[in-house]
Amino acid sequence: MKKFDPYKLVREQVKSMSPYSSARDEFTGLTAEMVFIDANENPFQSGLNRYPDPQQQVLKEKLGSIRQIKKECILLGNGSDEVLDLIYRAFCEPKTDSVILMPPTYGMYKVLANLNGISCKEVMLNRDFQLNVPEIIRAVDESTKLIFICSPNNPTGNKFFKSDIETILNSFNGLVVIDEAYVDFSDEKSWMTRLLEYPNLIVSQTFSKAYGMASIRLGICYASPEIISILNKIKPPYNINILTQNAALQKLNDIGETSKQIVEINKNKLLLIKELSKIKFIKKTFPSQANFILVRVDDANRRYDQLLQTGFVVRNRTKEPLCENCLRFTIGTEQEVLLLINTLKKLA
Ligand SMILES: *Cc1c(COP(=O)(O)O)cnc(C)c1O
């Protein structure tokens, strides 16, 4: 196992601060019959009048039992966007530290870096959308705190070679964040099973994609108990509201439904890929491990406008590096896929 001390990476300001201690931080051991006059809540029961559990114990317990991980290794965020922001704020000193990103990738890593005053070093993916490992390692200097790896990657759809990610985890002495927003659609196992092996690994997942719950805003962070406790220190005390906690619990009680939907979406993806190959102005369909596919067309701006006029909102990625004239289609229902194909066939 790699030797790594996350406390050495924590910002001085975070090290020295004491976290807000909420009225419900000692929630465990309390029973419902007790009289709660500690948090200035309205006493009339509505199911919503009490502050939610700041540590989301019940939800973490459920998630932990499904994913075979201790709840000390889990942190929940208001979407993965909050999880990523907390990672920046705990470990990256504004105007001093830097992170490495590999475009084309998910846009929030850069937005959050800018928001937090952290500089980004960008190491472009190869032509085949794989990691340029030697360049990434060369880009590391003493200011580099984080490397973000999105696998399967958005917007390209591919997963990265396992051995490349292992090389980065082994040779980099900062934190490696693997964003697995699309892992449920992939044939790759989650990196969360390798947390013990790599104490500098953080895995981020979300309820927004495969779980079909984008609107509840729930992101999951898996990491060592040490990293989780650092993030816990700075997270907003009541960041996951009770409606979200309850909705997520309900969803986890029917994992079967989610699995069925994933199978269906992957089936629709194959159908879309097959049919797209028959359309002349589609120059290339990139292989996908996610619930979307990236396609290269003859003229992305023109096709984007045509699709909008025929009632399809797609993502135009033509301005992204390596994605010239590329559109990204999310895989919908079978009916939506067939409708898209029919429309594409009719476009002049
Ligand atoms: C959609 C997506 C997310 C999800 O973000 P949430 O804030 O959890 O909705 C995270 N990472 C990537 C790469 C995504 O594409």
Side-chain angles (χ1 to χ4, degrees), residues 73-252:
C73 297
I74 308 175
L75 176 120
L76 301 176
N78 187 336
S80 3
D81 293 347
E82 185 182 52
V83 168
L84 300 173
D85 189 50
L86 289 173
I87 296 169
Y88 270 105
R89 292 209 269 166
F91 298 104
C92 297
E93 188 61 33
K95 297 185 175 153
T96 306
D97 288 337
S98 67
V99 301
I100 298 179
L101 309 179
M102 283 78 84
T105 191
Y106 186 45
M108 276 313 282
Y109 312 139
K110 196 168 179 175
V111 169
L112 292 170
N114 290 337
L115 180 65
N116 287 295
I118 310 304
S119 66
C120 299
K121 279 182 273 180
E122 300 191 303
V123 180
M124 198 89 82
L125 296 179
N126 296 331
R127 287 257 141 220
D128 56 359
F129 295 148
Q130 286 296 325
L131 299 167
N132 185 341
V133 179
E135 278 303 316
I136 293 168
I137 290 172
R138 209 167 305 149
V140 172
D141 62 26
E142 68 281 7
S143 76
T144 314
K145 291 294 170 67
L146 310 171
I147 297 181
F148 286 92
I149 298 176
C150 183
S151 188
N153 188 40
N154 179 9
T156 60
N158 60 301
K159 63 180 178 187
F160 296 124
F161 298 133
K162 216 152 112 181
S163 56
D164 283 350
I165 297 180
E166 283 167 352
T167 304
I168 294 170
L169 280 163
N170 280 318
S171 57
F172 178 51
N173 271 321
L175 291 160
V176 177
V177 181
I178 304 186
D179 184 342
E180 295 187 334
Y182 301 99
V183 73
D184 303 287
F185 301 103
S186 158
D187 55 27
E188 186 87 310
K189 226 172 51 182
S190 168
W191 283 85
M192 64 186 284
T193 58
R194 316 277 305 264
L195 284 171
L196 276 177
E197 211 176 323
Y198 297 109
N200 60 336
L201 170 62
I202 298 179
V203 175
S204 133
Q205 295 181 359
T206 179
F207 271 68
S208 299
K209 306 288 156 64
Y211 283 79
M213 305 210 96
S215 78
I216 71 170
R217 309 306 303 130
L218 188 62
I220 316 161
C221 173
Y222 298 108
S224 70
E226 291 78 20
I227 293 173
I228 295 298
S229 77
I230 292 164
L231 297 174
N232 256 324
K233 189 173 173 184
I234 64 164
K235 88 170 179 67
Y238 302 112
N239 62 332
I240 310 297
N241 72 68
I242 196 68
L243 300 173
T244 292
Q245 293 187 39
N246 289 341
L249 266 172
Q250 217 171 348
K251 180 56 76 174
L252 292 176

